[in-house]
Amino acid sequence: MPIRLDIKKKLSVSSERVKSVDIHPTESWALAALYSGNVTIWDYESGSNVKTFEVSELPVRCAKFITRKQWIVCSSDDMRIRVYNYNTMEKIKDFEGHSDYIRYVEVHPSLPYFLTSSDDMTIKLWDWDRGFENTQFFEGHSHYVMMVRFNPKDTNTFASASLDRSIKVWGLGSPVPHYTLEGHERGVNCIDYYPSGDKPYILSGADDRTVKIWDYQTKSIVHSLDGHSHNICSVMFHPKLPLICSASEDGTVRLWQSTTYRAETTLNYGMERAWALAATRETTKLA
């Protein structure tokens, strides 16, 4: 049974190259990290620019909302992490995070923590209640760590994607990984956890142009999705719809049914490359 997809383009803004997007859980805001070194908040209902933060002279690779503090946290190619209050625009903190580019920032859903992953092949945990102290350090990858994601069903565990072709699963409190998922033929750029409790699945996208669904209990590949003609930059289980979304450097976003793995539709808005995806839990919006 195909899903009825009524896809409408809500917001289209011309900007510098976008490196990441995040959607606010309650406001109609999309947060974009830009290659220009700026971070900007757009209102996707009105189409207006809410705020722009001039963060760095160098590209900002990732920016995330920390809504319980009214903050944004962002990482840029000067290897620094900066935290701003998005209401007052005050800079809360500015500190060196890694010894190489920081690829991703992942905010813990309830504890005062965020993770960062880097080209220095490490993952770090930062505690903002302890003055943004680096309280844990995770080593084990042999190439750039492109992304880290907390498991929504067990927030003491998280997964990482690396150009060493592996996905590793870790636990807070242990500096070495619990286990490794191997099966991609080239570097892994992105991962996502299945959002609800009924399937122990991790989604991954790689430079081998495939999207893979893994069962992290049996540590096996459930399914592999082919169709993109270039590297895959972002993958996502939609938090509300039974959809898998993938964005690629081929300029398209592909949607697949998450139960049958049937290809549903391909979105092609004439983008040179599609870098990042984000979705809203309450509605059916995708950025």
Side-chain angles (χ1 to χ4, degrees), residues 27 65 116 133 137 151 173 206 213 218:
E27 305 280 353
F65 285 114
T116 52
E133 186 185 335
F137 188 77
N151 182 346
I213 300 101
T218 63

Side-chain angles (χ1 to χ4, degrees), residues 78-225:
D78 54 11
M79 284 89 92
R80 299 187 76 78
I81 298 161
R82 293 173 178 86
V83 181
Y84 297 87
N85 182 306
Y86 58 65
N87 291 325
T88 65
M89 297 184 75
E90 174 199 357
K91 189 190 283 185
I92 305 295
K93 193 76 177 173
D94 180 343
F95 58 100
E96 185 167 312
H98 287 266
S99 60
D100 206 335
Y101 293 160
I102 303 165
R103 293 282 175 170
Y104 204 78
V105 180
E106 173 75 346
V107 180
H108 194 281
S110 56
L111 296 171
Y113 303 156
F114 57 85
L115 291 167
T116 52
S117 69
S118 170
D119 287 4
D120 66 12
M121 303 187 286
T122 70
I123 301 159
K124 292 183 179 181
L125 183 79
W126 309 87
D127 183 336
W128 67 73
D129 276 358
R130 293 170 64 172
F132 295 90
E133 186 185 335
N134 174 206
T135 54
Q136 289 181 55
F137 188 77
F138 305 91
E139 258 184 320
H141 280 297
S142 58
H143 207 314
Y144 304 164
V145 189
M146 303 299 285
M147 188 177 274
V148 276
R149 298 301 304 272
F150 281 110
N151 182 346
K153 292 197 286 292
D154 175 10
T155 56
N156 286 315
T157 62
F158 64 92
S160 58
S162 170
L163 294 191
D164 65 12
R165 307 180 183 186
S166 78
I167 298 148
K168 292 185 186 292
V169 175
W170 315 70
L172 295 180
S174 171
V176 292
H178 291 336
Y179 54 88
T180 301
L181 302 174
E182 291 177 307
H184 278 294
E185 290 169 18
R186 295 187 65 188
V188 188
N189 295 313
C190 47
I191 41 174
D192 194 25
Y193 274 98
Y194 191 74
S196 59
D198 54 340
K199 293 194 182 87
Y201 287 177
I202 289 175
L203 194 60
S204 62
D207 287 346
D208 61 12
R209 305 176 183 182
T210 69
V211 176
K212 294 191 190 301
I213 300 101
W214 306 77
D215 182 317
Y216 58 77
Q217 288 175 345
T218 63
K219 304 176 182 52
S220 59
I221 296 169
V222 178
H223 206 82
S224 192
L225 303 172

